[in-house]
């Protein structure tokens, strides 16, 4: 039986992506060659790469003057690449979660880092607001969706300096105004494809701001100049990303998926608020993530944690155990997680309440 996969990452992918990728592993484009065996310099593979880039552009409505890259190293390597390339004097960061703090740690290796606000002391139960972005910073870095704590910045914020956004866990979940960003980046394994590839959407004019010699593989400029083919790219992972992008287009693009995502998250948050046993640990309901829904048992029921996980497991639900830094539960309801799966989880919550 196929499970209801609420994994935080790697996570559920569309059946369309799994089937087509499995097919291409055996025989890519009727060439008699596997996608794992094909040359990354071949015409067949270059057209996969270019189609993936073109679809990324189409889905996010990326304006001219931006390049789309597929890169190795996940989001975490870009925590390093961003300051390596762009932190010349000082960078500003918003500390809204564990991933943000990891990005801050790397940036400190390269220069002054000004943390404009942090919710760390409150275990990241909200997205800090009311801060000022320093106008003398080289850039301002945010994490749009805090995968572990279940908070999200759902608007494209205004920044007087280039805005750099880790969008690993909410990329392609809603329309974005790309023109407000200097760089949008992340790992693919939450909402796009398998682990092993990441993406970057970079404003080309940013490349003029590079202030120090950068090793080739960490240089955005080198990757742009080589159309993500400076070295051997993760061909299989890129192929899978292309399938997800095709699936998204077929579904009606980001407006359509956003509507579905809002419906899924509303259904789940409504149940968390209604059910007498569960609660949200977040202090500001406006921050609730549409992608990672974090919830806990109320203190009086806290000892029933394992029982709920057992019940969920019996329904084919996997991946809802909360991150160790939060406890409780986390339902990651990325694009490919169906409304049906959310209904099964909500059903389990109702059953748990009536049984207890
Ligand atoms: C998962 C995740 C990361 C880490 O991604 P890697 O590809 O493993 O480096 C970084 N930021 C966010 C917001 C994430 O969800």
């Amino acid at each position: 039986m196929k499970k209801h996969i609420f994994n935080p990452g790697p996570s559920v992918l569309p059946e369309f992506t799994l089937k087509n990728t499995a097919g291409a592993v055996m025989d890519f484009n009727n060439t008699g060659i596997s996608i794992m065996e094909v040359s990354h310099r071949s015409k067949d593979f270059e057209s996969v790469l270019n189609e993936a880039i073109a679809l990324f552009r189409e889905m996010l409505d990326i304006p001219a003057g931006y390049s789309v890259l597929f890169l190795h190293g996940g989001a975490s390597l870009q925590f390093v690449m961003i300051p390596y390339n762009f932190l010349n004097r000082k960078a500003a960061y918003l500390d809204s979660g564990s991933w943000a703090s990891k990005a801050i740690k790397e940036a400190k290796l390269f220069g002054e880092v000004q943390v404009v606000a942090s919710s760390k002391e409150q275990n990241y139960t909200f997205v800090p607001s009311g801060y000022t972005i320093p106008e003398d910073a080289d850039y301002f870095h945010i994490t749009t969706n805090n995968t572990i704590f279940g908070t999200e910045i759902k608007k494209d914020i205004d920044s007087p300096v280039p805005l750099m956004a880790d969008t690993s866990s909410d990329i392609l979940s809603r329309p974005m105004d790309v023109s407000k960003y200097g760089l949008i980046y992340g790992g693919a394994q939450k909402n796009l494809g398998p682990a092993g590839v990441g993406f970057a959407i970079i404003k080309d004019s940013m490349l003029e701001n590079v202030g120090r010699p950068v090793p080739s593989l960490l240089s955005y400029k080198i990757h742009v100049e080589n159309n993500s083919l400076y070295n051997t790219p993760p061909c299989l992972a890129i192929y899978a990303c292309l399938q997800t992008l095709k699936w998204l287009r077929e579904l009606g693009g980001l407006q359509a998926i956003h509507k579905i995502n809002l419906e899924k998250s509303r259904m789940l948050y409504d149940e968390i608020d209604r059910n007498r046993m569960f609660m949200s640990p977040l202090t500001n309901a406006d921050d609730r993530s549409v992608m990672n829904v974090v919830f806990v048992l109320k203190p009086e029921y806290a000892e029933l944690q394992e029982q709920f996980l057992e019940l969920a497991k019996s329904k084919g639900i996997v991946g809802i155990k909360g991150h160790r830094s939060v406890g409780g539960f986390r339902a990651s309801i990325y694009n490919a997680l169906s409304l049906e799966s959310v209904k099964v989880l909500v059903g389990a919550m109702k059953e748990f309440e009536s049984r207890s």
Side-chain angles (χ1 to χ4, degrees), residues 73-76 79 99 143 145 147 166 168-169 187 189-190:
S76 300
F79 292 168
W99 294 116
T143 313
N145 186 63
T147 321
D166 175 2
S168 293
S169 50
Q189 70 275 15
K190 314 284 163 64

Side-chain angles (χ1 to χ4, degrees), residues 8-9 73-79 98-100 102 143-148 166-170 185-190 195-198 292 330 334:
S76 300
L77 192 59
Q78 296 197 60
F79 292 168
S98 308
W99 294 116
K102 285 186 169 142
T143 313
T144 49
N145 186 63
N146 298 292
T147 321
I148 292 173
D166 175 2
T167 63
S168 293
S169 50
D170 62 350
Y185 74 98
Q189 70 275 15
K190 314 284 163 64
V197 69
N292 305 96
R330 168 176 49 169
Y334 299 119

Side-chain angles (χ1 to χ4, degrees), residues 152-185:
E152 187 176 11
I153 301 171
K154 287 167 256 183
K155 288 212 172 76
D156 302 304
I157 65 171
D158 294 305
S159 170
V161 296
L163 183 60
M164 322 296 255
D166 175 2
T167 63
S168 293
S169 50
D170 62 350
I171 187 71
L172 299 166
S173 67
R174 62 185 147 93
M176 285 176 94
D177 181 356
V178 175
S179 72
K180 287 191 154 185
Y181 297 83
L183 175 70
I184 294 170
Y185 74 98

